[in-house]
Amino acid sequence: VQVELTVNAGKVTDVQVVQYPSGNPRDQEINSYALPVLIQETLDAQSADIDMVSGATVTSVGYAQSLQSALDQAGL
Amino acid sequence: MTAATQAVRRRVAQVMGLPVSLALRGRHTDDSRADDAWAAAMATLHDIDRVFSTYRNDSVISRLRRGEAAEVPAEVPAEVAEVLAIGERARIESRGAFDVVRDGVLDPSGVVKGWAVERAASSLRGLADTDFCLSAGGDMVVSVADPERAAWRVGIEHAADPTRIRAAVPLRTGAIATSGLAHRGAHVVDARSGAVPTALASVTVIGPDLTWADIDATAGLALDREAPRWLATRPGRTAYLQWSDGRTQTVVGQAGCPAD
């Protein structure tokens, strides 16, 4: 892949892709991924029985109070 | 042994200013192979941070920002070109809502995190008969090696209350990423207008790889009210939206529909 950067007053102001590599294995991979994803809504965090938590980015500072931290503590 | 009794071994480290959590199940959870794979995954993240950090003065990205490296294109490492190309593709596909250049300043952080964790996860794929879940700040790559074992169960945080879980997703392979304003405030904006989303509180995207799940979650949040229509066009992804008014919505992307 080739990219072209436009620099203005010492800052990169634009990125242009000049050339993508030929053939994109990623597209094939995505197209072959057709598993239905089941999302189960829950009202009770305690009974959710989860392994990990996906949420708005927890910084290192906020981590100590997070649910993920509680899960990690349980499995250390 | 049933899936429910399968022991999960966990590790945590701080990298790139983020808590990185690993959960392992199966054959190599607590032995030297597991230790080595974890160390290799962390080394990958540290290496990437050295190249891409916008907080380090000596990173390639910081030098690009100062216009030092751009004069000599050959000095830009291949991985930087790869990330910038992904960013450019994301900008085009999101119709400009996602952009690694904002107000004339290069910041590829929106691409780097998911891409970095996806790379780091390759060290864990070498662990035979071992399931893993590698998360950086709530965005993760998951894998289940044995079809007999249960899927990982990933909880989606409640956008209005990070101490609660709003939904759970069983995942065997792929990635899940969430963008929301809950922990860091207004760090996601529509790159076209600079507007902070108001209707959407959080976007979770599930897909085959974390690079694009993470980008799509960020772009979806930035698109705000346009998110459902845009996410429905995304191949192989499923999105879970939490609106500010409390409603939730699941959007299944094009090729991600079940056959029937």
CSV table of all heavy atoms in Angstrom, one decimal, chain B residues 90-91 93-103 181 185-200 215 217-227 230:
chain,number,residue,atom,x,y,z
B,90,ALA,N,-11.5,4.1,5.9
B,90,ALA,CA,-12.6,4.3,6.8
B,90,ALA,C,-13.3,5.7,6.5
B,90,ALA,O,-14.5,5.9,6.7
B,90,ALA,CB,-12.1,4.3,8.2
B,91,ARG,N,-12.5,6.7,6.2
B,91,ARG,CA,-13.0,8.0,5.9
B,91,ARG,C,-13.9,8.0,4.7
B,91,ARG,O,-15.1,8.5,4.8
B,91,ARG,CB,-11.9,9.0,5.6
B,91,ARG,CG,-12.3,10.5,5.4
B,91,ARG,CD,-11.2,11.4,5.0
B,91,ARG,NE,-10.7,11.0,3.6
B,91,ARG,CZ,-11.4,11.4,2.5
B,91,ARG,NH1,-12.5,12.1,2.5
B,91,ARG,NH2,-10.9,11.1,1.3
B,93,GLU,N,-15.5,5.3,3.4
B,93,GLU,CA,-16.6,4.4,3.7
B,93,GLU,C,-17.6,5.0,4.7
B,93,GLU,O,-18.8,4.7,4.6
B,93,GLU,CB,-16.2,3.0,4.2
B,93,GLU,CG,-15.4,2.2,3.1
B,93,GLU,CD,-15.1,0.8,3.4
B,93,GLU,OE1,-15.5,0.3,4.5
B,93,GLU,OE2,-14.4,0.2,2.6
B,94,SER,N,-17.1,5.9,5.6
B,94,SER,CA,-18.0,6.5,6.5
B,94,SER,C,-18.5,7.9,6.0
B,94,SER,O,-19.1,8.7,6.8
B,94,SER,CB,-17.3,6.7,7.9
B,94,SER,OG,-16.3,7.7,7.8
B,95,ARG,N,-18.2,8.2,4.8
B,95,ARG,CA,-18.6,9.4,4.1
B,95,ARG,C,-18.1,10.6,4.9
B,95,ARG,O,-18.7,11.6,5.1
B,95,ARG,CB,-20.1,9.6,4.0
B,95,ARG,CG,-20.8,8.4,3.2
B,95,ARG,CD,-22.3,8.5,3.3
B,95,ARG,NE,-22.9,7.2,3.1
B,95,ARG,CZ,-23.9,6.7,3.9
B,95,ARG,NH1,-24.3,7.4,4.9
B,95,ARG,NH2,-24.4,5.5,3.6
B,96,GLY,N,-16.9,10.4,5.5
B,96,GLY,CA,-16.2,11.6,6.1
B,96,GLY,C,-16.4,11.7,7.6
B,96,GLY,O,-15.8,12.5,8.3
B,97,ALA,N,-17.3,10.9,8.2
B,97,ALA,CA,-17.6,11.0,9.6
B,97,ALA,C,-16.4,10.6,10.5
B,97,ALA,O,-16.1,11.1,11.5
B,97,ALA,CB,-18.8,10.2,10.0
B,98,PHE,N,-15.6,9.6,9.9
B,98,PHE,CA,-14.4,9.1,10.6
B,98,PHE,C,-13.3,9.6,9.8
B,98,PHE,O,-13.2,9.5,8.6
B,98,PHE,CB,-14.4,7.6,10.5
B,98,PHE,CG,-13.3,6.9,11.3
B,98,PHE,CD1,-13.5,6.4,12.5
B,98,PHE,CD2,-12.0,6.9,10.7
B,98,PHE,CE1,-12.4,5.8,13.2
B,98,PHE,CE2,-11.0,6.3,11.4
B,98,PHE,CZ,-11.2,5.7,12.7
B,99,ASP,N,-12.3,10.2,10.5
B,99,ASP,CA,-11.1,10.8,9.8
B,99,ASP,C,-9.9,10.8,10.7
B,99,ASP,O,-10.0,11.2,11.9
B,99,ASP,CB,-11.4,12.2,9.3
B,99,ASP,CG,-10.5,12.7,8.1
B,99,ASP,OD1,-9.4,12.1,8.0
B,99,ASP,OD2,-10.9,13.5,7.3
B,100,VAL,N,-8.8,10.3,10.2
B,100,VAL,CA,-7.6,10.4,11.0
B,100,VAL,C,-6.9,11.8,11.0
B,100,VAL,O,-6.0,12.0,11.7
B,100,VAL,CB,-6.5,9.3,10.6
B,100,VAL,CG1,-7.0,7.9,10.9
B,100,VAL,CG2,-6.1,9.5,9.2
B,101,VAL,N,-7.4,12.6,10.2
B,101,VAL,CA,-6.9,14.0,10.2
B,101,VAL,C,-8.1,14.9,10.6
B,101,VAL,O,-9.2,14.9,10.0
B,101,VAL,CB,-6.4,14.5,8.8
B,101,VAL,CG1,-6.0,15.9,8.8
B,101,VAL,CG2,-5.3,13.6,8.3
B,102,ARG,N,-7.9,15.6,11.7
B,102,ARG,CA,-9.0,16.5,12.2
B,102,ARG,C,-8.4,17.9,12.5
B,102,ARG,O,-7.4,18.0,13.2
B,102,ARG,CB,-9.6,15.9,13.4
B,102,ARG,CG,-11.1,16.2,13.5
B,102,ARG,CD,-11.8,15.4,14.5
B,102,ARG,NE,-11.5,15.8,15.8
B,102,ARG,CZ,-11.5,15.0,16.9
B,102,ARG,NH1,-11.8,13.7,16.7
B,102,ARG,NH2,-11.2,15.4,18.1
B,103,ASP,N,-9.0,18.9,12.0
B,103,ASP,CA,-8.5,20.3,12.1
B,103,ASP,C,-7.0,20.3,11.7
B,103,ASP,O,-6.2,21.0,12.3
B,103,ASP,CB,-8.7,20.8,13.6
B,103,ASP,CG,-10.1,20.8,14.0
B,103,ASP,OD1,-11.0,20.9,13.1
B,103,ASP,OD2,-10.4,20.5,15.2
B,181,LEU,N,-19.9,7.6,25.2
B,181,LEU,CA,-19.4,8.8,25.8
B,181,LEU,C,-19.3,8.7,27.3
B,181,LEU,O,-19.0,9.6,28.0
B,181,LEU,CB,-20.2,10.0,25.4
B,181,LEU,CG,-20.4,10.2,23.9
B,181,LEU,CD1,-21.3,11.4,23.6
B,181,LEU,CD2,-19.0,10.5,23.3
B,185,GLY,N,-16.2,11.3,28.2
B,185,GLY,CA,-16.8,12.5,27.8
B,185,GLY,C,-16.8,12.6,26.2
B,185,GLY,O,-16.7,11.6,25.6
B,186,ALA,N,-16.8,13.8,25.7
B,186,ALA,CA,-16.9,14.0,24.3
B,186,ALA,C,-15.7,13.8,23.5
B,186,ALA,O,-15.1,14.8,23.0
B,186,ALA,CB,-17.5,15.4,24.0
B,187,HIS,N,-15.2,12.5,23.4
B,187,HIS,CA,-14.0,12.3,22.6
B,187,HIS,C,-14.3,11.9,21.2
B,187,HIS,O,-13.4,11.7,20.4
B,187,HIS,CB,-13.1,11.3,23.3
B,187,HIS,CG,-13.6,9.9,23.4
B,187,HIS,ND1,-14.6,9.6,24.3
B,187,HIS,CD2,-13.4,8.8,22.7
B,187,HIS,CE1,-15.0,8.3,24.1
B,187,HIS,NE2,-14.2,7.9,23.1
B,188,VAL,N,-15.5,11.6,20.9
B,188,VAL,CA,-15.9,11.2,19.5
B,188,VAL,C,-16.8,12.4,18.9
B,188,VAL,O,-17.7,12.8,19.5
B,188,VAL,CB,-16.7,9.9,19.5
B,188,VAL,CG1,-17.3,9.6,18.1
B,188,VAL,CG2,-15.9,8.8,20.0
B,189,VAL,N,-16.3,12.8,17.8
B,189,VAL,CA,-17.1,13.8,17.1
B,189,VAL,C,-17.2,13.4,15.6
B,189,VAL,O,-16.5,12.6,15.1
B,189,VAL,CB,-16.4,15.2,17.1
B,189,VAL,CG1,-16.3,15.7,18.6
B,189,VAL,CG2,-15.1,15.2,16.4
B,190,ASP,N,-18.2,14.0,15.0
B,190,ASP,CA,-18.4,13.8,13.5
B,190,ASP,C,-17.3,14.7,12.9
B,190,ASP,O,-17.3,15.9,13.0
B,190,ASP,CB,-19.8,14.3,13.1
B,190,ASP,CG,-20.1,14.0,11.6
B,190,ASP,OD1,-19.1,14.1,10.8
B,190,ASP,OD2,-21.2,13.7,11.3
B,191,ALA,N,-16.4,14.0,12.2
B,191,ALA,CA,-15.2,14.8,11.6
B,191,ALA,C,-15.6,15.8,10.6
B,191,ALA,O,-14.9,16.8,10.3
B,191,ALA,CB,-14.2,13.8,11.0
B,192,ARG,N,-16.8,15.7,10.0
B,192,ARG,CA,-17.3,16.7,9.0
B,192,ARG,C,-17.7,18.0,9.7
B,192,ARG,O,-17.4,19.1,9.2
B,192,ARG,CB,-18.4,16.1,8.2
B,192,ARG,CG,-18.1,14.8,7.5
B,192,ARG,CD,-19.3,14.1,7.0
B,192,ARG,NE,-20.2,13.7,8.1
B,192,ARG,CZ,-21.3,13.0,8.0
B,192,ARG,NH1,-21.7,12.6,6.8
B,192,ARG,NH2,-22.0,12.7,9.0
B,193,SER,N,-18.4,17.9,10.8
B,193,SER,CA,-19.0,19.0,11.4
B,193,SER,C,-18.4,19.4,12.8
B,193,SER,O,-18.6,20.5,13.3
B,193,SER,CB,-20.5,18.8,11.6
B,193,SER,OG,-20.7,17.7,12.5
B,194,GLY,N,-17.7,18.4,13.4
B,194,GLY,CA,-17.2,18.6,14.7
B,194,GLY,C,-18.2,18.4,15.8
B,194,GLY,O,-18.0,18.6,17.0
B,195,ALA,N,-19.4,17.9,15.3
B,195,ALA,CA,-20.5,17.8,16.3
B,195,ALA,C,-20.3,16.5,17.2
B,195,ALA,O,-19.9,15.5,16.7
B,195,ALA,CB,-21.8,17.6,15.5
B,196,VAL,N,-20.7,16.7,18.4
B,196,VAL,CA,-20.7,15.6,19.4
B,196,VAL,C,-22.1,14.9,19.3
B,196,VAL,O,-23.1,15.6,19.2
B,196,VAL,CB,-20.5,16.1,20.8
B,196,VAL,CG1,-20.5,14.9,21.8
B,196,VAL,CG2,-19.1,16.8,20.9
B,197,PRO,N,-22.1,13.5,19.2
B,197,PRO,CA,-23.4,12.9,19.1
B,197,PRO,C,-24.3,13.2,20.4
B,197,PRO,O,-23.8,13.3,21.5
B,197,PRO,CB,-23.0,11.4,19.1
B,197,PRO,CG,-21.6,11.3,19.6
B,197,PRO,CD,-20.9,12.6,19.2
B,198,THR,N,-25.5,13.4,20.1
B,198,THR,CA,-26.5,13.7,21.2
B,198,THR,C,-27.6,12.6,21.3
B,198,THR,O,-28.0,12.3,22.4
B,198,THR,CB,-27.1,15.0,21.0
B,198,THR,OG1,-27.7,15.1,19.7
B,198,THR,CG2,-26.1,16.2,21.1
B,199,ALA,N,-28.0,12.1,20.1
B,199,ALA,CA,-29.1,11.1,20.2
B,199,ALA,C,-28.6,9.7,20.6
B,199,ALA,O,-29.3,8.9,21.2
B,199,ALA,CB,-29.7,11.0,18.8
B,200,LEU,N,-27.4,9.4,20.2
B,200,LEU,CA,-26.8,8.1,20.5
B,200,LEU,C,-25.9,8.2,21.7
B,200,LEU,O,-25.1,9.1,21.9
B,200,LEU,CB,-25.9,7.6,19.3
B,200,LEU,CG,-26.5,6.6,18.3
B,200,LEU,CD1,-25.4,6.2,17.3
B,200,LEU,CD2,-27.0,5.3,19.0
B,215,ILE,N,-13.5,0.6,14.3
B,215,ILE,CA,-13.7,1.8,13.5
B,215,ILE,C,-15.2,2.0,13.3
B,215,ILE,O,-15.7,3.1,13.4
B,215,ILE,CB,-13.0,1.6,12.1
B,215,ILE,CG1,-11.5,1.7,12.2
B,215,ILE,CG2,-13.6,2.5,11.0
B,215,ILE,CD1,-10.7,1.2,11.0
B,217,ALA,N,-17.7,1.1,15.2
B,217,ALA,CA,-18.3,1.6,16.4
B,217,ALA,C,-18.1,3.1,16.6
B,217,ALA,O,-19.0,3.9,16.9
B,217,ALA,CB,-17.8,0.9,17.6
B,218,THR,N,-16.9,3.6,16.3
B,218,THR,CA,-16.5,5.0,16.4
B,218,THR,C,-17.3,5.8,15.4
B,218,THR,O,-17.9,6.8,15.7
B,218,THR,CB,-15.0,5.2,16.3
B,218,THR,OG1,-14.3,4.4,17.2
B,218,THR,CG2,-14.7,6.7,16.5
B,219,ALA,N,-17.2,5.3,14.1
B,219,ALA,CA,-17.9,6.0,13.0
B,219,ALA,C,-19.4,6.0,13.3
B,219,ALA,O,-20.1,7.0,13.0
B,219,ALA,CB,-17.6,5.3,11.7
B,220,GLY,N,-20.0,4.9,13.7
B,220,GLY,CA,-21.4,4.8,14.0
B,220,GLY,C,-21.8,5.9,15.0
B,220,GLY,O,-22.8,6.6,14.9
B,221,LEU,N,-21.0,6.0,16.1
B,221,LEU,CA,-21.3,6.9,17.1
B,221,LEU,C,-21.3,8.4,16.6
B,221,LEU,O,-22.1,9.2,16.8
B,221,LEU,CB,-20.4,6.8,18.3
B,221,LEU,CG,-20.6,7.7,19.5
B,221,LEU,CD1,-22.0,7.3,20.2
B,221,LEU,CD2,-19.5,7.5,20.6
B,222,ALA,N,-20.2,8.6,15.8
B,222,ALA,CA,-20.1,9.9,15.2
B,222,ALA,C,-21.2,10.3,14.3
B,222,ALA,O,-21.6,11.4,14.2
B,222,ALA,CB,-18.7,10.0,14.4
B,223,LEU,N,-21.8,9.3,13.6
B,223,LEU,CA,-22.9,9.5,12.6
B,223,LEU,C,-24.2,9.8,13.4
B,223,LEU,O,-25.1,10.3,12.7
B,223,LEU,CB,-23.0,8.3,11.7
B,223,LEU,CG,-22.0,8.2,10.6
B,223,LEU,CD1,-21.9,6.8,10.0
B,223,LEU,CD2,-22.3,9.3,9.5
B,224,ASP,N,-24.2,9.4,14.6
B,224,ASP,CA,-25.4,9.7,15.5
B,224,ASP,C,-26.7,9.2,14.8
B,224,ASP,O,-26.8,8.0,14.7
B,224,ASP,CB,-25.4,11.2,15.7
B,224,ASP,CG,-26.2,11.6,17.1
B,224,ASP,OD1,-26.4,10.7,17.9
B,224,ASP,OD2,-26.5,12.8,17.2
B,225,ARG,N,-27.6,10.1,14.5
B,225,ARG,CA,-28.9,9.6,14.0
B,225,ARG,C,-28.8,8.8,12.7
B,225,ARG,O,-29.7,8.0,12.3
B,225,ARG,CB,-29.9,10.8,13.8
B,225,ARG,CG,-30.4,11.3,15.1
B,225,ARG,CD,-31.4,12.4,14.9
B,225,ARG,NE,-32.0,12.9,16.1
B,225,ARG,CZ,-31.3,13.8,16.9
B,225,ARG,NH1,-30.2,14.3,16.6
B,225,ARG,NH2,-31.8,14.1,18.1
B,226,GLU,N,-27.8,9.0,11.9
B,226,GLU,CA,-27.6,8.3,10.7
B,226,GLU,C,-27.0,6.9,10.9
B,226,GLU,O,-26.9,6.1,9.9
B,226,GLU,CB,-26.6,9.1,9.7
B,226,GLU,CG,-27.0,10.4,9.3
B,226,GLU,CD,-25.9,11.1,8.5
B,226,GLU,OE1,-25.2,10.5,7.7
B,226,GLU,OE2,-25.6,12.3,8.8
B,227,ALA,N,-26.7,6.6,12.1
B,227,ALA,CA,-25.9,5.3,12.4
B,227,ALA,C,-26.7,4.1,11.9
B,227,ALA,O,-26.1,3.2,11.3
B,227,ALA,CB,-25.6,5.2,13.9
B,230,TRP,N,-26.4,3.5,8.2
B,230,TRP,CA,-25.1,3.3,7.7
B,230,TRP,C,-24.6,1.9,8.2
B,230,TRP,O,-24.1,1.1,7.4
B,230,TRP,CB,-24.1,4.4,8.3
B,230,TRP,CG,-22.7,4.1,7.8
B,230,TRP,CD1,-22.2,4.3,6.5
B,230,TRP,CD2,-21.6,3.6,8.6
B,230,TRP,NE1,-20.9,4.0,6.5
B,230,TRP,CE2,-20.5,3.6,7.7
B,230,TRP,CE3,-21.4,3.3,9.9
B,230,TRP,CZ2,-19.2,3.1,8.1
B,230,TRP,CZ3,-20.2,2.9,10.3
B,230,TRP,CH2,-19.1,2.8,9.4
